[in-house]
Amino acid sequence: MVLFAFVAVVGLYQAKAQVATPGVDQREGLQRERIRSGAASGELTRRETAHARRDQRSIRRTERRAKADGEVTRQERAQIQHKQNRASRQLRRNKHDAQVRPGA
């Protein structure tokens, strides 16, 4: 009986720790693809590609911190969305700035 109670508590704790953010995750995937295609086509220079990837790491880090307490508040979601918007605008500017990586 004690073992069952322990397993139930652990299961509830893990379920709470895995907060779902499907919108954020979907957008991260789309951004990753935009970066990949921009690097492959030469629309992004090496420096621009590195900067875009660094921005995505920062967004993931912010998301992890928001999920750490088991709940993503409205303010935390707004912060993540703001970072994603900024990164998206910068990525668009870099992809369309007429710089082409040599040899791409």
Side-chain angles (χ1 to χ4, degrees), residues 5 19 27 36 45 54 66 80 89 92 102:
V19 179
R27 193 160 177 197
R36 196 175 297 132
T45 64
R54 192 170 38 249
I80 293 167
R89 278 193 306 269
R92 186 190 185 296

Side-chain angles (χ1 to χ4, degrees), residues 26-100:
Q26 179 184 13
R27 193 160 177 197
E28 284 177 359
L30 293 172
Q31 291 290 70
R32 200 171 23 257
E33 183 54 38
R34 287 175 64 198
I35 294 167
R36 196 175 297 132
S37 70
S41 69
E43 291 176 310
L44 292 175
T45 64
R46 292 184 197 284
R47 181 174 285 168
E48 290 168 343
T49 302
H51 190 273
R53 289 182 175 149
R54 192 170 38 249
D55 286 345
Q56 294 305 304
R57 276 194 304 274
S58 174
I59 293 166
R60 282 193 305 274
R61 189 172 33 253
T62 302
E63 182 184 8
R64 268 196 314 274
R65 287 180 185 150
K67 288 180 174 183
D69 63 355
E71 179 183 1
V72 180
T73 65
R74 183 177 291 159
Q75 184 177 6
E76 290 169 334
R77 283 186 195 277
Q79 181 184 20
I80 293 167
Q81 186 176 17
H82 177 73
K83 282 185 149 191
Q84 286 180 322
N85 289 343
R86 240 186 20 222
S88 180
R89 278 193 306 269
Q90 188 62 47
L91 182 57
R92 186 190 185 296
R93 283 187 206 115
N94 287 339
K95 284 183 78 170
H96 300 282
D97 65 359
Q99 290 180 348
V100 178

